[in-house]
Amino acid sequence: MIGKQVWSLTPAKIILGGFFLIIITGAVLLTLPFASKTGEATPFIDAVFTATSATCVTGLIVHDTYTYWSVFGQAVIIILIQIGGMGVVTLAIAITILSGKKIGLKQRYVMQESISAPQVGGIVRMTSFIVKGTIFFEAAGAVIMAFQFCPQMGLIKGIWFSVFHSISAFCNAGFDLMGGTSGPTTSITSYTGNPLINIPIMLLIIIGGIGFFVWDDVKTHKLQHKYYHLQTKIVLTTTFCLIMFPALFLFLFEFSRDCWDGLSLQERFMASLFQSVTTRTAGFNSVDLNQLSEAAQLLVVILMIIGGSPGSTAGGIKTTTFALAILCLRSAFQNQESIQCYKRRIPYDILRNAIAILALYISLMLTATFLITWLDDVNLMEAAFETSSAVATVGLSLGITGDLSTFSKIILILLMYFGRVGGLTMLYALTNRKKLPVLLPQERITVG
């Protein structure tokens, strides 16, 4: 249980420190000899990389999860994924509630920052809602996938596979155990058109990626859309567009290419929809990503950077940031003084944060791409794919992760950590915000 000295820190530092401690603990456990199937101790850099990828619900791996890690190692990984997906603070608050102790105002404020809630009021109820919702959706997903895995693999192994992939999908992690069935690092490519695997994984990814606040809003107001908060409306609209339009592009232009002739019409449709959903921070793939055209791979990079929604298990700049960028463009083109959406005006400070996040993520991705391309002499698209996947906590890869140098792995570790705790959270934790004593004179400059 978190002590009073920890709660006295700023919310940003608590979130930052919480994830760091979980990662280090997980890394130590993964270095133990019985965490690997060979019985040998895993190199610390590989253990840290795996623990960071799991806790930050990314999915990038240096060793295949099934063929390299023992059942103990796999259990450590899925526990890290669950903690990282729900959030360290959410878990701490839930434990405090279960222990019968009261939740103070500071704890409520930290929880508000952790899940991007609009207000402190109702945080305890929200915590209970998050925990119950997580258990329900993960259990439902596991039950559906068990109809495929249990007949195929046997009862015990089938249940383990179902639970593991359900948690990994809901938390948008992308870790899988398919190395024992279709080969190492193949993800779910052997189930390309299988609805019992594809549909529950897609639904879990979407539900986990729209954000806990949106869940609560939809649960409260049901189908009465006019009563939804602005954030809910923007998240749902943007999520729908970011799933349907890329899926349509992939179906019409990518999976119509000759190299995909081996797929049936149903498999092409399912593959188009699945890749459109999973690219925004989930990390599963139902087709070989190396076979995608460069145009499709670039689309995947863009979708990875956008990511999921605020207060969710997903990463990226978030759907709301992307929507604000589009709304800002519309406002500029129409020469409007304010940014408006659904008959509401969006405050300037929200736009400022959105621009800062967008610039920060793109700068980090480009810098890391340059460094990895230079250090490991890899293809530019491969490096951009890897760094976008890391900073947006996605987990998709073109297969270069395990061959990267130690320094490149450290770069990816830092990107994953940054991507999970959030750009502004990290900046707030590492810097002291200062207010100017006076309002300085205003002067215009020319742009464009």
Side-chain angles (χ1 to χ4, degrees), residues 10 12-13 424-434:
T10 63
K13 290 181 179 179
L424 292 181
T425 300
M426 173 131 352
L427 291 177
Y428 292 160
L430 300 178
T431 61
N432 294 318
R433 284 179 279 181
K434 296 180 180 179

Side-chain angles (χ1 to χ4, degrees), residues 199-214:
I199 292 176
I201 286 180
M202 283 192 289
L203 290 176
L204 287 168
I205 291 168
I206 294 170
I207 294 170
I210 63 174
F212 302 121
F213 172 73
V214 174

